[in-house]
């Protein structure tokens, strides 16, 4: 009821307010597709099983088309990246040719606002051509914006590891992560304020040893290998709740509004100016979208708004 009342208020004011000078309004063009990256040198599991059999049906239920791309064929052209709202990576190996180039490209995509979901291995800790290990700083330009800081500290010693947090709702029924079977730890220090950790593993023999090995955030999420699936590739993580959290905003009280109108029409052009000044003086933040782009919005996208305003006369 609150959202409906707010919408009526905006429409009523927009019909009577007067513009006070030239304005420029930036319209969002929401991307709809999700890019799935894999490495064909890892074998068929990444593309055929994880992305096609497990991830794609979940994304389809969320209304998001998946486009699968082999990173061995090169980075996707920059112009195509405008079509994607998120990137999901699935690698089974720590090494990649031109790993630094890949990480720089991936960091740019995250900085541009695309959500990133890392499944299994990050895939670019080492340059496959030179054998050189990549500097932490290059890796963290990708990971820090989604909520964690990579600090290595690998160990396979089970007696040093301890689960400090486990959200059972995010994992397949009856599949408590087995540290004896995993024998796998890297330190991903939690740093994001909006981090939602589904599985935290502590390394007891180092200071501040908590590692967020499965998490979601406002920037995406990660499920580290051996915790995403077992070593023999049996699924552990429930992808439906995990991907919904990683790819859409949380449902909470918001003051920002989404305004849809047709700026090319005479009525829409007039309402632009009216709405601009109404928002300015009421100190309400808003995003603008064209009516023609409403079909790109999914209902879960609206969680980030307190109201949806359909601005039109008549």
């Amino acid at each position: 009821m609150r959202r409906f009342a707010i919408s009526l208020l905006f429409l009523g004011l927009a019909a009577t307010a007067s513009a006070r000078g030239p304005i420029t309004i930036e319209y969002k063009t929401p991307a709809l597709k999700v890019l799935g990256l894999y490495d064909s040198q890892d074998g068929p599991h990444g593309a055929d099983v994880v992305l096609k059999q497990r991830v794609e049906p979940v994304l389809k239920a969320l209304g998001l088309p998946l486009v699968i791309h082999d990173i061995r064929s090169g980075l996707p052209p920059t112009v195509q990246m405008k079509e994607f709202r998120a990137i999901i990576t699935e690698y089974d190996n720590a090494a990649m040719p031109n790993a630094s180039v890949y990480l720089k490209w991936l960091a740019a995509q995250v900085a541009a606002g695309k959500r990133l979901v890392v499944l299994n291995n990050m895939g670019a800790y080492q340059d496959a051509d030179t054998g050189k290990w990549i500097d932490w700083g290059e890796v963290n330009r990708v990971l820090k914006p989604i909520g964690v800081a990579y600090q290595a500290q690998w160990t396979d010693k089970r007696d040093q590891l301890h689960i400090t947090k486990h959200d059972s709702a995010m994992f397949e029924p009856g599949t408590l992560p087995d540290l004896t079977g995993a024998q796998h730890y890297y330190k991903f220090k939690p740093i994001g304020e909006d981090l939602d950790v589904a599985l935290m593993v502590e390394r007891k023999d180092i200071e501040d040893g908590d590692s967020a090995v499965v998490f979601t955030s406002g920037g995406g999420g990660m499920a580290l290998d051996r915790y995403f699936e077992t070593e023999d590739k049996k699924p552990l993580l429930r992808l439906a709740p995990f991907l919904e959290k990683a790819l859409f905003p949380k449902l909470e009280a918001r003051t920002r509004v989404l305004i849809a109108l047709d700026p090319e029409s005479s009525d829409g052009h007039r309402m632009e100016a009216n709405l601009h000044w109404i928002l300015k003086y009421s100190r309400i933040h808003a995003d603008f979208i064209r009516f023609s782009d409403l079909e790109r919005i999914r209902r879960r996208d609206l969680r980030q708004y307190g109201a949806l305003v359909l601005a039109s006369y008549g």
Side-chain angles (χ1 to χ4, degrees), residues 5-230:
I6 291 175
S7 298
L8 287 180
L9 172 63
F10 271 105
L11 292 176
L13 289 172
T16 58
S18 59
R20 304 189 181 184
I23 61 166
T24 300
I25 291 179
E26 180 180 349
Y27 282 80
K28 286 195 167 190
T29 303
L32 189 58
K33 300 176 184 177
V34 175
L35 178 65
L37 297 178
Y38 76 103
D39 186 340
S40 57
Q41 294 297 307
D42 290 341
H45 181 73
D48 294 346
V49 178
V50 175
L51 293 177
K52 289 183 180 178
Q53 293 182 22
R54 297 181 190 168
V55 171
E56 189 167 31
V58 174
L59 294 183
K60 185 177 181 181
L62 294 172
L64 304 176
L66 176 67
V67 177
I68 299 175
H69 178 84
D70 180 5
I71 199 64
R72 291 281 172 160
S73 66
L75 296 172
T78 301
V79 66
Q80 288 185 5
M81 292 308 299
K82 295 179 181 179
E83 302 174 10
F84 298 103
R85 64 164 59 194
I87 299 170
I88 297 176
T89 69
E90 201 291 332
Y91 301 119
D92 291 334
N93 195 296
M96 177 186 298
N98 300 311
S100 289
V101 174
Y102 168 77
L103 289 172
K104 183 177 181 180
W105 172 84
L106 194 57
Q109 302 308 317
V110 172
K114 299 187 194 312
R115 290 183 178 237
L116 172 65
V117 178
V118 177
L119 302 179
N120 278 327
N121 203 293
M122 181 77 178
Y125 296 112
Q126 184 182 28
D127 191 289
D129 294 328
T130 66
K132 178 183 176 183
W133 291 95
I134 303 302
D135 183 81
W136 293 4
E138 296 182 60
V139 176
N140 281 325
R141 276 193 284 273
V142 174
L143 292 181
K144 282 186 175 181
I146 69 171
V148 296
Y150 170 67
Q151 297 180 356
Q153 302 279 7
W154 181 81
T155 187
D156 61 354
K157 296 180 180 179
R158 165 64 183 91
D159 60 351
Q160 295 176 352
L161 305 180
H162 173 64
I163 293 175
T164 57
K165 183 177 181 181
H166 172 244
D167 183 355
S168 60
M170 297 294 283
F171 291 87
E172 294 292 344
T175 57
L176 177 68
D178 179 11
L179 293 178
T180 301
Q183 293 184 309
H184 187 56
Y185 173 95
Y186 278 102
K187 184 176 178 180
F188 295 93
K189 181 179 180 179
I191 60 172
E193 293 183 1
D194 63 352
L195 207 65
D196 189 350
V197 180
L199 185 64
M200 187 87 78
V201 175
E202 178 193 16
R203 180 172 171 177
K204 295 181 288 184
D205 64 324
I206 63 173
E207 186 177 354
D208 189 24
D210 275 345
S211 177
V213 295
V214 179
F215 70 87
T216 57
S217 72
M222 184 184 77
L224 185 65
D225 45 329
R226 311 282 182 89
Y227 304 105
F228 169 67
E229 57 186 5
T230 63

